[in-house]
Amino acid sequence: MKNGNITTFILLGLTDDPELQVLIFIFLFLAYTLSVTGNLTIITLSLVDPHLKTSMYFFLKNFSFLEISFTSSCIPRYLYSIATGDKVITYNACVIQVFFIDLCGVTEVFLLAAMSYDRYEAICKPLHYVTIMSSRVCRILIISCWMAGLCIIIPPLSLGLNLKFCDSNMIDHFGCDAFPLVKISCSDTWVMEQTVIICAVLTLNITLTCVVLSYAYIIKTIFRFPSVQQRKKAFSTHSSHMAVVSLTYGTCIFIYMNPTAKEEVTINKVVSLLIFSISPTLNPFIYTLRNNQVKKAFQDSIKRIAFLLTK
């Protein structure tokens, strides 16, 4: 983004109404606190509880870390802006924010695909599951997700660094995002817009194909279980992941595969707010409320803490 004489941007946020800003601040503060607390709880439990040392919880731990990183790249800055009234963000800070938001977001999508593959191996190949999904394989998959995310964002980010901003420095968003930046640029943005759409389509097609195929085989295998109780337990275990996948892919498809997204900034601001606040807050509860192992680990940890406090 060649900024010329522009060294700062002004984030317009969601609204200028003081009363609405107070409500938004309270909502976002509570959502962010719950999100960080919930995801840190999952990370802590997966590290300390011996029953949560499987590959499933290894991926879940990394997913929680990504959720914290993703929401922390934007929400604290917006809370600061509401609290102080300071809407100015420097050019370099804006570039860094775009980089981390996109990197965490894309990596998260690839990680969901890896988690789907892990569930496929667990259900369809239970006898070989431990051998196939070894700790080495899990680490390779995690590194591959991060590298894939980096490779996907480099082309549009490189083009974005060449954008020129001549007159306006007001970003109609609560954070630095690709489409609002494109809107105020005086450069020809057609190539960049098409690159963003191609990268988004490529990412979603690759990962969604992996997810759909994995769950097609999983559902097919589950229906072969002789016991109704076994089928019910299997569906209960995997429904949480399917819910998170649906939530993530639904919002991504709306924003990045919507051809008129450049003009629909207001709608995208609201959807982006939900992505940064609701999804990271709900995900820990979706995974834990339907997972007996996590609930038991949490209860055991509370008992240990209570015992140490009363000692």
Side-chain angles (χ1 to χ4, degrees):
M1 286 177 278
K2 292 181 179 177
N3 55 0
N5 294 325
I6 294 176
T7 57
T8 58
F9 292 107
I10 298 173
L11 300 172
L12 298 181
L14 292 172
T15 179
D16 289 326
D17 188 330
E19 293 181 358
L20 276 177
Q21 284 188 336
V22 171
L23 292 175
I24 291 170
F25 181 88
I26 294 170
F27 166 74
L28 284 179
F29 180 78
L30 291 175
Y32 180 70
T33 303
L34 284 172
S35 170
V36 172
T37 304
N39 284 295
L40 278 177
T41 300
I42 289 176
I43 293 171
T44 304
L45 289 176
S46 63
L47 287 172
V48 301
D49 194 284
H51 299 101
L52 304 181
K53 296 295 183 182
T54 64
S55 60
M56 174 181 173
Y57 298 104
F58 176 78
F59 287 119
L60 185 55
K61 173 179 65 180
N62 282 274
F63 184 77
S64 294
F65 172 75
L66 267 174
E67 288 283 60
I68 293 172
S69 303
F70 180 68
T71 191
S72 296
S73 63
C74 185
I75 295 300
R77 177 63 183 80
Y78 185 41
L79 290 174
Y80 168 81
S81 178
I82 296 174
T84 63
D86 181 10
K87 297 182 178 182
V88 177
I89 184 169
T90 64
Y91 169 79
N92 290 335
C94 192
V95 173
I96 292 169
Q97 190 178 73
V98 170
F99 174 78
F100 280 106
I101 288 173
D102 290 350
L103 178 62
C104 293
V106 176
T107 303
E108 189 173 299
V109 174
F110 278 101
L111 182 55
L112 284 173
M115 292 169 76
S116 299
Y117 173 72
D118 173 68
R119 293 298 82 212
Y120 159 77
E121 293 291 350
I123 293 294
C124 301
K125 301 177 182 179
L127 297 178
H128 305 285
Y129 174 62
V130 177
T131 305
I132 295 171
M133 300 303 294
S134 63
S135 57
R136 180 175 175 273
V137 170
C138 291
R139 286 194 295 271
I140 290 172
L141 283 172
I142 292 295
I143 294 170
S144 299
C145 289
W146 281 98
M147 293 305 296
L150 192 61
C151 290
I152 288 292
I153 70 167
I154 282 175
L157 192 64
S158 300
L159 292 171
L161 291 171
N162 291 314
L163 290 180
K164 294 179 182 178
F165 299 94
C166 308
D167 303 316
S168 176
N169 68 335
M170 294 187 178
I171 301 175
D172 190 11
H173 211 279
F174 58 85
C176 289
D177 189 60
F179 288 117
L181 283 168
V182 163
K183 193 173 182 180
I184 64 171
S185 173
C186 56
S187 302
D188 182 0
T189 60
W190 186 85
V191 175
M192 182 185 172
E193 288 181 75
Q194 298 308 308
T195 304
V196 169
I197 292 171
I198 290 169
C199 290
V201 170
L202 184 66
T203 301
L204 291 174
N205 279 343
I206 292 172
T207 56
L208 197 54
T209 299
C210 180
V211 171
V212 170
L213 286 176
S214 296
Y215 273 98
Y217 282 108
I218 287 170
I219 292 169
K220 184 180 177 182
T221 304
I222 289 173
F223 276 122
R224 290 177 179 173
F225 288 175
S227 167
V228 176
Q229 191 66 30
Q230 282 180 310
R231 291 198 291 270
K232 188 182 291 186
K233 184 180 178 182
F235 276 120
S236 177
T237 302
H238 293 85
S239 60
S240 57
H241 186 253
M242 285 190 280
V244 172
V245 166
S246 302
L247 192 64
T248 303
Y249 279 92
T251 49
C252 287
I253 288 170
F254 177 84
I255 289 182
Y256 293 104
M257 298 184 72
N258 182 0
T260 58
K262 187 178 176 181
E263 286 75 29
E264 296 176 355
V265 174
T266 303
I267 297 174
N268 281 340
K269 280 198 292 185
V270 176
V271 177
S272 297
L273 185 68
L274 296 178
I275 293 173
F276 281 105
S277 57
I278 300 298
S279 297
T281 304
L282 287 179
N283 289 346
F285 294 100
I286 291 172
Y287 276 112
T288 55
L289 291 176
R290 300 188 64 85
N291 192 306
N292 291 326
Q293 279 186 297
V294 175
K295 285 193 286 187
K296 187 177 184 304
F298 182 73
Q299 290 167 358
D300 291 343
S301 297
I302 294 295
K303 288 177 182 176
R304 283 197 293 268
I305 293 169
F307 175 75
L308 289 172
L309 291 174
T310 55
K311 202 171 180 181

